[in-house]
Amino acid sequence: MTVSTPLRTTLIGVALSATVLVPLQGTAFAAQAATTGAATTGTASSVAGIEDETARALARSLADEAWKRQLGAAASGGDAVDLRALTEGTRTAAGRRLASPVAEADRAVAAVKGLPSDVGSLLRVSLVPPAAKAGAEDAAPLVAAAPSDDDGTGFTAYDSRGNAHTLDTDEAPDRPVYLVDIDGAKAVSAGLKVVGEALAAKGLDVPAPASEVNTSAAKATSSPLAATAGIDTTLIDSVRIADVKEPGIKGDAEIFTLVTGFGKDGKPRVDTVEMPYLNKAATTYYPNQVLVNWSNYKYNMADAVMMEDDGDTNYQALAKAIVTVLLTITDQGVYTPLADALLDAVPTSWWTDDPDYVDSWYTLAKTTKGTRNGAAANGWMNVSPYFVSEL
């Protein structure tokens, strides 16, 4: 399970011009937004908007042939390239002009997502190769923000003159296309720490006292009659999701799971579980990952809610929403499912883009074993009890 550490959050508004980023509202606005945790309005205040303006600026910069060749060489390996590192390390004039705007855009993305400004570079660029047609590889490239609309059929890309072109999300492009997006795995990892900080501040992730650690017989010890200290857990042996809630052309999904139940102190608790491996639809993964640490729970029941970060998820706001609703729930002496309460806490507007609800699993117990289908029929997990003994 993820271990949460305190993080700070700031919020600034930034807009990109062709090659320059300028603050939207200045430092006073930034201070106010950081205090309230509110997102700014307008396209430049969203991750998608920042990505789009960055894509437009990057497209214009490709009029410089030397910079275009360098970008092509860097992205030709198929992996996403750190855009900030690339622009700061280039010697080309066009690339150098992008360095400061890209750094500002990185900080703006972190702010909009409720992450600390020192989280590091988040913006990256990857190459989508064209369809196998004569001359397609040599055609002038386009640049686009990675589409975030799961149900969208088209997205906008720009050429070096700033002209917009509409591309189909389900078809290979007829020329090279660079996609600008964020490092989702990095953002999720940092975001779940933000959630963990908020939970810890309200006592919603208090671990079990050392005196209450399980001392049942281990599954495998030097003596089958010996007892040992340790913890009971539920392990994910395998997992498969039909729809990862991510447009195919965008690439890998960023999945995480929130496990909910009542802690030893009788308060609702949430544990965050990163799942960076679970990034493709209709693919079976075998992570052998701990899903539930039962030593932290009062009752022999827990729920799991799986989500996917499409980009604009503000983890500070997500944490606040979760904390607000869970603090209204009290222990009535019997287990109460918390998954629905957690889902109800997420603002309705978020379900159009981020975070996307993937599936949920109710009433998991220490003895739960085998394949469990998700309540939304979008996936399944094969789980098993696993005792973790002390060394």
Side-chain angles (χ1 to χ4, degrees):
M1 277 189 189
T2 304
V3 178
S4 300
T5 56
L7 292 175
R8 302 179 306 278
T9 182
T10 59
L11 185 58
I12 59 173
V14 177
L16 267 162
S17 64
T19 57
V20 181
L21 273 169
V22 294
L24 282 179
Q25 302 291 341
T27 55
F29 173 81
Q32 177 185 0
T35 301
T36 62
T40 58
T41 57
T43 58
S45 67
S46 69
V47 172
I50 297 168
E51 289 176 355
D52 185 73
E53 295 298 334
T54 303
R56 191 195 303 259
L58 179 58
R60 285 185 177 276
S61 75
L62 296 183
D64 182 314
E65 287 295 327
W67 169 237
K68 183 171 73 173
R69 287 194 298 270
Q70 183 178 354
L71 176 61
S76 62
D79 294 328
V81 178
D82 185 324
L83 187 57
R84 186 170 176 179
L86 186 63
T87 57
E88 291 178 344
T90 184
R91 294 185 177 183
T92 65
R96 286 198 304 269
R97 284 195 296 270
L98 276 177
S100 179
V102 167
E104 283 296 317
D106 255 330
R107 288 188 283 270
V109 168
V112 172
K113 292 185 68 61
L115 303 176
S117 59
D118 60 357
V119 69
S121 57
L122 290 170
L123 286 169
R124 59 185 186 175
V125 61
S126 57
L127 176 64
V128 178
K133 297 179 181 179
E137 289 285 352
D138 299 325
L142 300 175
V143 186
S148 60
D149 185 355
D150 305 332
D151 300 318
T153 58
F155 63 102
T156 301
Y158 304 98
D159 60 29
S160 60
R161 295 182 178 181
N163 298 319
H165 303 256
T166 300
L167 304 182
D168 194 317
T169 57
D170 296 324
E171 294 183 6
D174 59 2
R175 65 173 91 180
V177 176
Y178 292 105
L179 289 183
V180 175
D181 69 351
I182 67 170
D183 186 334
K186 188 175 186 179
V188 167
S189 181
L192 293 185
K193 290 177 182 178
V194 171
V195 174
E197 176 193 6
L199 295 171
K202 297 297 184 180
L204 298 176
D205 71 342
V206 178
S211 60
E212 295 187 24
V213 171
N214 186 9
T215 56
S216 63
K219 288 185 174 181
T221 64
S222 58
S223 170
L225 299 179
T228 185
I231 58 174
D232 287 307
T233 71
T234 291
L235 202 68
I236 304 175
D237 299 311
S238 56
V239 58
R240 185 182 181 94
I241 302 299
D243 181 3
V244 293
K245 307 298 180 180
E246 190 80 299
I249 196 170
K250 186 176 180 180
D252 292 346
E254 290 79 38
I255 302 289
F256 62 94
T257 294
L258 304 176
V259 178
T260 67
F262 284 92
K264 294 287 189 179
D265 57 358
K267 292 182 179 180
R269 67 172 288 129
V270 178
D271 290 306
T272 61
V273 182
E274 295 181 49
M275 309 179 86
Y277 56 87
L278 212 174
N279 50 28
K280 299 292 184 186
T283 302
T284 302
Y285 295 90
Y286 302 89
N288 293 320
Q289 180 184 27
V290 171
L291 179 67
V292 187
N293 175 355
W294 290 105
S295 69
N296 289 329
Y297 290 88
K298 177 179 180 180
Y299 299 108
N300 185 25
M301 286 290 173
D303 303 331
V305 176
M306 188 179 289
M307 294 181 172
E308 197 275 334
D309 178 354
D310 263 346
D312 279 331
T313 306
N314 183 308
Y315 286 94
Q316 186 187 35
L318 176 62
K320 182 178 180 181
I322 292 173
V323 167
T324 298
V325 72
L326 291 187
L327 287 177
T328 67
I329 300 173
T330 58
D331 181 9
Q332 300 297 319
V334 294
Y335 175 72
T336 302
L338 299 177
D340 289 343
L342 188 151
L343 290 172
D344 288 342
V346 180
T348 303
S349 60
W350 289 18
W351 298 113
T352 58
D353 284 317
D354 328 284
D356 279 329
Y357 169 64
V358 177
D359 214 328
S360 51
W361 286 261
Y362 293 84
T363 61
L364 296 169
K366 283 200 297 185
T367 56
T368 300
K369 182 178 182 180
T371 300
R372 288 287 302 270
N373 293 317
N378 188 38
W380 55 261
M381 287 193 292
N382 192 289
V383 299
S384 61
Y386 188 80
F387 183 82
V388 182
S389 60
E390 288 187 353
L391 290 175

